Amino acid sequence: MKNIIASILLIVLLSILAIFPKTALHGALNGLLLWFHTVLPTLLPYMILTSLLMSYHNAHTAHGIPAELFALLGLICGYPMGAKLCADLVKRHQITLSMGTYLLPLCNLAGPAFISGYVIYSSLKAYDSKVLCLLCIYVPLLVYALLSILYIRPVLSSDCHALRSEAVSRPSLDQSIMDSFLAITKLGGYIILFSILSEFMILFLPQGCNLLCLCLSGALEITNGISFITDSTLNHSYQIVLSLTIVSFGGISCICQTNSMIKDSGLSIRYYCLSKCIIALLTGIMAYLLFCQHVQIDSVSCSTCIGSG
């Protein structure tokens, strides 16, 4: 039955693409350009260097560096490198499954280069509010980390015996580059796909649902979503709140990317989704308190919400 439903949905989607080729082309071009101009140059160097670093060192024993710190490199590299690092460490038995589950929503986050460069400076133009914006991203993450460790600590202390050292392959720059290009290409595919979905969502939603359109677009894919938000006439303070919230959540596109990275590792995508929703809620509340207490919401009219067939 599931296969039949999936087949019907795919046929419907293919039919929509054929009926509205201009909209599909516009979405694909937007996704491709965002990936090529923003995601590729931002993430690829981090991916290559991180992959090489993981090859050089057995993360559990090298120079006394805890393996958990290697997973936190995902905070620097951005989506979906945190998920990849956690999955690799769990598969190599360098951290336990419980520790990997705990770290996954914490280290799988948009990188500081993306947050500062694309979100704060390029999109929101929030030059004077950079510190506040960053606090809205990282303080809720820290709060959630402290609260969730209280829940998961008994499990962490009981399964440490499962750890063992496992040799890693000989470091190879060529292999690191190939692995990184594979990951970044897969990331580009998701961005393009969800960019097309965003275009059709804009096309089919009623014109009176512009705010809903912005929220759904951000929930689908954060890069395109933030672009739609900042192109709208939504009050700038609310643009900041909405943009920071969807950055913390990551979007369905990043959830799909994360799910592909943690495949066969035993890590739970359901726990990850629940955790990201809680972190995003905390970010939204904090951003609202900092930016919107004395601001009344304006009517939203988004030029990007006018679909073209």
Side-chain angles (χ1 to χ4, degrees):
M1 179 60 70
K2 290 183 178 180
N3 291 335
I4 296 175
I5 295 175
S7 298
I8 293 174
L9 287 175
L10 288 174
I11 292 173
V12 171
L13 289 174
L14 286 172
S15 300
I16 293 174
L17 289 178
I19 296 171
F20 301 97
K22 185 178 179 180
T23 303
L25 178 61
H26 188 258
L29 286 175
N30 281 342
L32 179 61
L33 291 175
L34 282 169
W35 174 78
F36 184 76
H37 289 294
T38 303
V39 178
L40 181 64
T42 301
L43 289 187
L44 186 60
Y46 288 104
M47 286 184 170
I48 294 173
L49 293 177
T50 302
S51 178
L52 194 60
L53 180 63
M54 290 288 290
S55 298
Y56 263 105
H57 296 290
N58 184 313
H60 181 55
T61 59
H63 306 294
I65 300 175
E68 292 80 2
L69 292 183
F70 281 80
L72 293 177
L73 285 173
L75 286 172
I76 300 175
C77 302
Y79 292 115
M81 282 303 297
K84 185 178 186 302
L85 290 170
C86 279
D88 288 346
L89 291 171
V90 169
K91 289 177 183 178
R92 294 173 180 172
H93 303 281
Q94 293 165 351
I95 62 174
T96 64
L97 180 60
S98 299
M99 177 57 75
T101 300
Y102 168 72
L103 289 173
L104 180 60
L106 302 178
C107 65
N108 197 44
L109 183 71
F114 178 84
I115 296 172
S116 297
Y118 179 72
V119 179
I120 298 176
Y121 285 124
S122 178
S123 298
L124 292 172
K125 307 285 193 298
Y127 310 112
D128 298 330
S129 305
K130 177 182 178 181
V131 174
L132 291 179
C133 290
L134 291 175
L135 287 175
C136 289
I137 295 293
Y138 292 109
V139 169
L141 198 69
L142 178 60
V143 170
Y144 181 80
L146 294 176
L147 293 177
S148 59
I149 193 66
L150 298 177
Y151 171 77
I152 203 171
R153 179 182 292 178
V155 182
L156 294 176
S157 60
S158 65
D159 63 0
C160 287
H161 64 276
L163 292 175
R164 69 171 184 268
S165 177
E166 184 171 310
V168 295
S169 59
R170 185 177 179 179
S172 167
L173 179 59
D174 288 344
Q175 188 61 44
S176 296
I177 291 174
M178 289 302 298
D179 290 344
S180 300
F181 265 105
L182 177 61
I184 201 74
T185 302
K186 184 184 296 185
L187 180 60
Y190 280 109
I191 290 175
I192 292 171
L193 175 61
F194 280 90
S195 177
I196 295 173
L197 291 177
S198 294
E199 288 290 329
F200 281 109
M201 178 196 67
I202 291 168
L203 177 65
F204 291 121
L205 276 178
Q207 291 301 303
C209 300
N210 291 335
L211 182 57
L212 176 62
C213 172
L214 294 178
C215 294
L216 290 178
S217 178
L220 280 175
E221 203 280 314
I222 60 175
T223 312
N224 287 288
I226 290 171
S227 177
F228 290 145
I229 290 168
T230 54
D231 285 343
S232 74
T233 57
L234 183 68
N235 183 282
H236 188 250
S237 295
Y238 285 93
Q239 288 184 7
I240 293 175
V241 173
L242 191 53
S243 296
L244 295 180
T245 301
I246 65 172
V247 166
S248 281
F249 175 61
I252 298 174
S253 174
C254 286
I255 290 176
C256 292
Q257 297 163 33
T258 298
N259 192 43
S260 69
M261 292 294 176
I262 65 175
K263 187 178 180 181
D264 302 324
S265 67
L267 295 171
S268 172
I269 192 64
R270 292 183 179 179
Y271 177 82
Y272 171 80
C273 292
L274 176 61
S275 300
K276 297 302 282 188
C277 288
I278 295 173
I279 295 170
L281 178 61
L282 294 175
T283 294
I285 294 172
M286 183 174 177
Y288 178 83
L289 293 175
L290 288 175
F291 292 101
C292 297
Q293 276 188 311
H294 305 293
V295 178
Q296 290 187 351
I297 189 166
D298 297 333
S299 60
V300 183
S301 59
C302 176
S303 60
T304 59
C305 291
I306 302 176
S308 56

